[in-house]
Amino acid sequence: MRLRNVRLVHFRNHAETAFTCSPDVNVFVGKNGEGKTNILEGISYLCLTKSFFAASDATALQLGTEAFTAQGSFEAADGLTFDTVVSYQGAERRKVMTVNGQAPESMAAMVGQFPVVILSPENSNITFGGPGDRRRFVDLVISQASRGYLEDLLEYRRVLRQRNRILADNRERPGSVTAALEPWTESLVNCGARIVARRIRFVQEFEPEVRTAFGRVAAVNEAPALEYRGTVELNGDASPDAVRSAFARSVERVAPQEQRAGLTLVGPHRDELGMTINDLELRGYASQGQHKTFLVALKLAEVAFLRERCREAPILLLDDVVSELDPERATRLLTEASSLGQTFITATEATMFDRTYGATGYRRFSVRAGQVTADE
Ligand SMILES: Nc1ncnc2c1ncn2[C@@H]1O[C@H](COP(=O)(O)OP(=O)(O)O)[C@@H](O)[C@H]1O
Ligand SMILES: [Mg+2]
């Protein structure tokens, strides 16, 4: 997938920004606070209908204005084009999207249509943060590759909320809540088992990609590994049916604790994705450099994974990566990135890119106070 052009109106500090993209590498250079990350965020709206970090639509609206628009023309590998518009009305808090003039069935239906991979400083929480940060990473990758998965996630979240409410309401008045819980438990187990089984399969498919990418970026002999650590006890069989039976047994086993805690205690919402290098937990043992390399490897693996699953090379957004990595690793990442598909990079300095990319398919822009100009 490639973006031909982008236009942002009243988006963050961009009153009106429009540019034509290189099909390969696009670099945005400017000082801190000029509006570089905001451009990548605008592209994120076009691809995912939302910001890539947990920002609300309202904060993306330029201060003192009433509505923002992000507009872009995508070109798919087969040559089809998709003129995409996402706009947000501040007063009504209403966001609408159109693709070639038509509204999609839902915002969720758009996820994965324009696959995107983002590497930004905020992502450091994937390796440094808690289990929830890693679950969010896994969920976004699989959601872009599988529409059914995102639907399951949304449904699971709804069921979990209901089930937790019943458990919490009954904590003060112990008694039999089993009957009230039963339909919710059933949905929880059915939907949750599909999520767990898919995540386990994902980890199996994804890990080799991570290892390959890690080797390319780090060029050191270290063995990164991923491991799905579920709250549902499995005996080796991770087929959806086996996970469903095991899940049902686990829920039964923890029923007394759940009633005391007033919370659902097993399921994909409590699972962890273990990350190790040479069998040592990243969290606790890895150096800063190893954390960063691991993160870059996860993102490059995500590109490879989505390219295969979506049959479309994802757009790669690299925010401030050069300042985050040592020059050697940064150069390897940039070389790697440009071979993967269309890339958008932000940086405070241009030198490194001129050295890495020379003239081929590389376009450089200057960003100043929300204004973007193409460099000659
Ligand atoms: N809703 C908004 N309206 C106007 N300006 C905003 C809004 N949100 C952020 N900004 C401004 O955008 C700038 C930050 O842009 P950003 O893209 O993060 O900079 P950088 O070039 O360092 O990546 C800041 O000057 C900030 O005040
Ligand atoms: Mg920035």
Side-chain angles (χ1 to χ4, degrees), residues 158-238:
R158 189 183 71 86
V159 170
L160 182 67
R161 212 178 304 126
Q162 293 294 338
R163 196 173 183 275
N164 281 343
R165 188 167 305 152
I166 297 172
L167 282 165
D169 285 349
N170 281 276
R171 188 159 50 163
E172 315 304 306
R173 299 169 271 122
S176 179
V177 288
T178 328
L181 277 182
E182 210 169 71
W184 297 109
T185 304
E186 197 183 320
S187 306
L188 186 88
V189 167
N190 284 334
C191 190
R194 286 196 296 273
I195 294 171
V196 171
R198 185 66 189 91
R199 284 194 192 155
I200 291 174
R201 185 152 64 84
F202 166 75
V203 170
Q204 284 163 358
E205 296 165 346
F206 198 62
E207 192 187 36
E209 304 280 9
V210 174
R211 231 178 280 142
T212 308
F214 191 95
R216 284 218 198 103
V217 179
V220 290
N221 204 3
E222 290 177 328
L226 298 178
E227 184 192 29
Y228 195 76
R229 298 180 189 144
T231 44
V232 170
E233 270 176 51
L234 298 169
N235 46 15
D237 187 354

Side-chain angles (χ1 to χ4, degrees), residues 189-354:
V189 167
N190 284 334
C191 190
R194 286 196 296 273
I195 294 171
V196 171
R198 185 66 189 91
R199 284 194 192 155
I200 291 174
R201 185 152 64 84
F202 166 75
V203 170
Q204 284 163 358
E205 296 165 346
F206 198 62
E207 192 187 36
E209 304 280 9
V210 174
R211 231 178 280 142
T212 308
F214 191 95
R216 284 218 198 103
V217 179
V220 290
N221 204 3
E222 290 177 328
L226 298 178
E227 184 192 29
Y228 195 76
R229 298 180 189 144
T231 44
V232 170
E233 270 176 51
L234 298 169
N235 46 15
D237 187 354
S239 65
D241 281 341
V243 176
R244 193 177 313 118
S245 326
F247 197 167
R249 276 196 304 277
S250 296
V251 175
E252 222 173 278
R253 189 167 41 74
V254 299
Q257 286 109 292
E258 282 195 334
Q259 294 196 15
R260 251 175 281 134
L263 263 183
T264 301
L265 295 176
V266 289
H269 64 293
R270 305 275 282 209
D271 292 353
E272 166 69 305
L273 177 67
M275 296 179 174
T276 56
I277 293 180
N278 297 341
D279 292 327
L280 289 175
E281 284 303 314
L282 221 54
R283 273 214 312 174
Y285 291 99
S287 67
Q288 294 274 344
Q290 284 174 318
H291 271 278
K292 284 176 186 167
T293 308
F294 203 103
L295 179 63
V296 169
L298 287 173
K299 291 294 169 174
L300 292 176
E302 188 180 348
V303 174
F305 181 85
L306 291 179
R307 187 176 41 196
E308 196 169 305
R309 299 301 176 304
C310 304
R311 293 172 209 289
E312 195 67 63
I315 288 170
L316 186 55
L317 309 181
L318 301 175
D319 195 16
D320 261 337
V321 288
V322 171
S323 58
E324 292 271 311
L325 292 168
D326 64 68
E328 223 174 289
R329 285 180 194 208
T331 307
R332 275 199 289 270
L333 167 64
L334 296 178
T335 312
E336 191 80 2
S338 63
S339 73
L340 293 173
Q342 192 181 29
T343 310
F344 295 84
I345 308 175
T346 68
T348 47
E349 289 259 1
T351 33
M352 162 133 220
F353 302 96
D354 294 339

